Amino acid sequence: NAGVTQTPKFRILKIGQSMTLQCTQDMNHNYMYWYRQDPGMGLKLIYYSVGAGITDKGEVPNGYNVSRSTTEDFPLRLELAAPSQTSVYFCASSYGQGYNQPQHFGDGTRLSIL
Amino acid sequence: QQPVQSPQAVILREGEDAVINCSSSKALYSVHWYRQKHGEAPVFLMILLKGGEQKGHEKISASFNEKKQQSSLYLTASQLSYSGTYFCGTESSLYQAGTALIFGKGTTLSVSS
């Protein structure tokens, strides 16, 4: 049972480039989340999804886009990379409503934008 | 609306105890606790629900004071494996009710032998 799988694990981008961070889960969870983590700042929610075809903005959505065409996959798109988007990105999923179910995290993608 | 954690950092020797606090400015139905080791993903520890129900997997205890909108995580007889950063997560009115959490900035715990 793989859980939540994120690819790539590391990536260096140039300013203005675009990329997609992949996230897939095999637990049949309806709820999925994208967070970014900067040193000393905790986890900030970028986007979340409550099911296939349904997404909503989190706390820091600017500069990112998401889609959820299947239950398993929840990719995060950076359109025009900026140095401020250098961070560690975590994808997570939960079985049911976020307030009473554990979130399962992927191993993260470490992204540097130079 | 971000919950406030205290202290920011704790340094312990093996066998000592620690308490990590999480306070919110809004009424809470639940509080989550996660631990993250350096360079790794956060790992679920427990959920505390209004009314006293507790869900957890590890030998770490916690309390939830609904009236004070606070939760405390108790680490007793600490082990080296307890080292890491502890995050609490609470619901936020930023999101549809019950859908997502907002996390505190974390408390870093260092346990030495």
Side-chain angles (χ1 to χ4, degrees):
Chain A
N1 193 348
V4 179
T5 303
Q6 291 184 237
T7 56
K9 295 191 183 303
F10 304 93
R11 184 72 184 268
I12 298 175
L13 280 183
K14 293 183 178 179
I15 295 171
Q17 286 185 323
S18 301
M19 77 163 295
T20 299
L21 281 65
Q22 301 292 344
C23 175
T24 187
Q25 52 91 7
D26 62 359
M27 297 174 283
N28 202 31
H29 286 173
N30 283 326
Y31 285 65
M32 295 188 74
Y33 314 87
W34 272 107
Y35 296 94
R36 60 175 289 171
Q37 185 175 38
D38 301 309
M41 299 303 293
L43 295 156
K44 297 288 189 182
L45 186 65
I46 305 171
Y47 272 94
Y48 67 101
S49 170
V50 301
I54 307 169
T55 62
D56 207 348
K57 295 178 180 179
E59 192 178 358
V60 290
N62 292 342
Y64 307 95
N65 279 300
V66 294
S67 59
R68 183 98 181 268
S69 57
T70 66
T71 299
E72 295 77 20
D73 300 310
F74 190 38
L76 178 71
R77 178 85 178 158
L78 282 72
E79 291 293 348
L80 292 170
S84 61
Q85 294 177 305
T86 293
S87 189
V88 181
Y89 292 84
F90 288 102
C91 178
S93 71
S94 63
Y95 176 70
Q97 285 189 301
Y99 79 98
N100 71 351
Q101 295 293 330
Q103 292 192 17
H104 302 261
F105 286 81
D107 289 336
T109 295
R110 284 149 183 81
L111 180 63
S112 294
I113 299 167
L114 307 175
Chain B
Q1 289 208 358
Q2 184 178 33
V4 177
Q5 290 185 231
S6 62
Q8 286 186 311
V10 183
I11 299 174
L12 296 176
R13 288 195 176 273
E14 274 188 296
E16 292 181 338
D17 302 338
V19 180
I20 299 172
N21 301 302
C22 175
S23 299
S24 175
S25 60
K26 69 181 290 290
L28 300 174
Y29 187 87
S30 69
V31 177
H32 291 224
W33 286 98
Y34 292 79
R35 178 171 63 205
Q36 184 179 31
K37 294 185 179 290
H38 184 69
E40 298 181 5
V43 174
F44 169 76
L45 292 177
M46 65 179 63
I47 297 173
L48 298 108
L49 300 175
K50 187 176 181 179
E53 183 180 359
Q54 177 177 320
K55 300 180 183 181
H57 302 285
E58 295 201 12
K59 297 178 182 178
I60 294 174
S61 63
S63 64
F64 181 21
N65 188 322
E66 300 150 24
K67 289 184 178 179
K68 292 186 177 180
Q69 297 161 191
Q70 292 178 345
S71 177
S72 295
L73 190 70
Y74 304 96
L75 301 105
T76 56
S78 59
Q79 307 167 17
L80 294 176
S81 61
Y82 285 8
S83 293
T85 301
Y86 290 78
F87 295 98
C88 69
T90 61
E91 315 108 77
S92 171
S93 58
L94 289 174
Y95 316 122
Q96 293 180 34
T99 52
L101 301 175
I102 186 166
F103 286 90
K105 292 184 178 181
T107 296
T108 300
L109 178 69
S110 300
V111 182
S112 62
S113 56

